[in-house]
Amino acid sequence: MVGALLFALLGPSGIALGSHVPAGISRGAEAASSLVLVGTVPSEVVVGAATGLTWEAVDANGSRVASFAAACGLTITVDTNGSNAPSWVNASVSGPLGRAANGTYSIPSTAWRSGELRLFVVVGKAASVTVDLVGSLLPANRAAAGLVILPDLDHLVLYDPEKSTFNITERWDDTFWHVRDPFGDPVPGAVLTARTLSSSGTTDSLVPVVPLANGSSGAWLNYSFPKNSSGSWEVLDAAGAVLLGPVVFSPVAPVSSNASAAAGMIAPISPELLGAIVLVFLGGVGGIVALVSGGSPRAARPRPGPEDELRRLAEGRETVVELLRRKGPLSIEEIEASWEPAPAPAAVADWVASLVTDGTLTATLGEGGKARFTLAARPEAEPRVTLDEDELARGIARRDAAVETDEEGDPSAP
């Protein structure tokens, strides 16, 4: 009776049937002779895209060992130097995997299901990489996945513009932009779309991204917009995202000698600057009005004269030019931050605009579309002022008429 009970509790070898299995490994670990990759393993993958990889535990006959489940690790290394590739891994059963300081992902035994381990791998660098399972509890014979990670040619980033020739007044730009994908990889072979929208329709120009000697890549982007038309210009990547612009244009009024054209030409200048220019060049009109109205002008509150306004304008422009000469290209904010003594005057933007208009400065668009200003290489153009000659003639006539009237009513007049 006792012998029968012992035989029921012990196997033929005398080992208890309920013997302990080491933690982290299933009963099927000894039966599995190798780990194989199943399904289609892509040879090339775009950076940032998820790739599904499935390993299966099989025995010596090639049959799946459904009971296999072992804790292990995963490495993703760059083939050229053996470094750890930037990456993210998710197990279909247990979720995201943690990464140790040495770059190895930890895979719990619970990530296995019926002898299969399915992972989703995302690599954040364009390179050839090897994805491999590691661990002492795994069979020595196991397959590794080799992947070629390609740059993302559809989703692009523009950065670090250089060699720019930009003229906001003449409405043209010719700038070389560096181009990369969202993960920082160069993208030779990618194509940008320069799109012009106007009243005549939409025109797309394809701009290739070319490789550079330093390993980066870039493209020339340029536009030239007619002054007598309105519309916009922008740059898109293959995914349709706008990378630059839109740069919006409005028709420019033609230059003429009449007052409305002169007003239209001066309109972008601030009222303060416009007042100074009008006072200095059309100061005679004040005398004409005084003669017509008779007597001396009534007393008014003291206010800065034309000389003060012009002096302030000249000194402000000179300070802007000197800052750019010493420090190189600056944005409006950087010019204001460099102003001494602080704070910068409110008219800094107006002074910069006037310097761009007369050709003293040129502007380029930096990363993020922010304008940066620098001294123009060509000599400064002479300023031009347009006067309404007809209005001046009428004013002189009114003055002469007023003078004649005073002489006729003055008894002492000869």
Side-chain angles (χ1 to χ4, degrees):
M1 182 69 177
V2 175
L5 181 58
L6 291 174
F7 185 80
L9 294 173
L10 302 175
S13 61
I15 301 176
L17 295 179
S19 60
H20 176 69
V21 177
I25 186 170
S26 70
R27 295 180 187 275
E30 296 179 0
S33 61
S34 60
L35 298 177
V36 298
L37 284 164
V38 297
T40 302
V41 179
S43 58
E44 295 182 343
V45 183
V46 174
V47 62
T51 303
L53 300 173
T54 302
W55 281 268
E56 184 178 74
V58 298
D59 58 20
N61 297 321
S63 300
R64 184 199 302 179
V65 181
S67 58
F68 184 88
C72 57
L74 181 82
T75 60
I76 304 175
T77 55
V78 179
D79 293 343
T80 55
N81 54 24
S83 63
N84 296 311
S87 54
W88 301 265
V89 181
N90 189 77
S92 62
V93 175
S94 59
L97 302 182
R99 191 174 190 178
N102 65 359
T104 301
Y105 290 93
S106 299
I107 303 175
S109 60
T110 54
W112 294 82
R113 173 177 290 175
S114 301
E116 282 190 347
L117 173 66
R118 182 161 179 78
L119 304 177
F120 294 93
V121 175
V122 178
V123 180
K125 177 182 177 64
S128 295
V129 300
T130 297
V131 184
D132 197 9
L133 294 175
V134 296
S136 59
L137 302 179
L138 301 178
N141 184 22
R142 54 184 181 269
L147 303 175
V148 176
I149 310 301
L150 303 175
D152 187 347
L153 303 185
D154 293 337
H155 303 86
L156 304 177
V157 176
L158 301 182
Y159 70 103
D160 194 15
E162 62 179 28
K163 301 177 183 177
S164 175
T165 50
F166 173 84
N167 191 310
I168 192 171
T169 304
E170 297 299 324
R171 298 158 66 116
W172 58 265
D173 180 19
D174 191 13
T175 303
F176 184 84
W177 287 85
H178 288 83
V179 188
R180 60 175 174 82
D181 69 13
F183 296 90
D185 303 299
V187 286
V191 177
L192 298 166
T193 299
R195 175 168 296 170
T196 303
L197 296 92
S198 64
S199 57
S200 59
T202 301
T203 302
D204 286 347
S205 299
L206 301 182
V207 182
V209 179
V210 298
L212 303 179
N214 62 1
S216 62
S217 59
W220 283 100
L221 295 172
N222 59 75
Y223 65 78
S224 178
F225 218 89
K227 288 187 176 181
N228 60 350
S229 62
S230 61
S232 64
W233 177 85
E234 60 189 10
V235 178
L236 304 89
D237 61 17
V242 177
L243 308 181
L244 184 62
V247 180
V248 180
F249 300 98
S250 299
V252 177
V255 178
S256 69
S257 59
N258 59 60
S260 61
M265 187 169 58
I266 300 175
I269 304 176
S270 69
E272 182 181 50
L273 176 58
L274 178 60
I277 295 175
V278 170
L279 284 171
V280 72
F281 289 104
L282 303 182
V285 175
I288 297 171
V289 173
L291 287 174
V292 172
S293 59
S296 302
R298 292 174 295 177
R301 291 180 300 173
R303 69 178 190 180
E307 295 80 4
D308 295 331
E309 293 289 351
L310 285 176
R311 184 184 305 109
R312 184 167 177 264
L313 171 64
E315 290 174 352
R317 285 165 53 96
E318 182 180 355
T319 303
V320 170
V321 170
E322 182 59 27
L323 281 174
L324 295 176
R325 181 178 290 113
R326 287 191 289 109
K327 297 193 173 185
L330 298 173
S331 65
I332 291 291
E333 293 79 5
E334 291 169 334
I335 293 173
E336 292 174 338
S338 303
W339 202 272
E340 294 180 358
V348 168
D350 293 331
W351 297 335
V352 172
S354 69
L355 289 166
V356 171
T357 301
D358 67 19
T360 304
L361 304 183
T362 59
T364 60
L365 292 179
E367 189 167 3
K370 180 174 289 188
R372 296 175 66 81
F373 302 91
T374 188
L375 294 178
R378 55 186 179 275
E380 180 177 341
E382 292 295 329
R384 294 185 303 169
V385 177
T386 301
L387 301 180
D388 189 336
E389 297 178 358
D390 294 338
E391 180 62 29
L392 181 59
R394 286 193 292 271
I396 293 174
R398 288 195 296 270
R399 181 199 61 185
D400 293 342
V403 171
E404 291 175 0
T405 300
D406 289 345
E407 291 178 349
E408 291 175 358
D410 187 356
S412 62

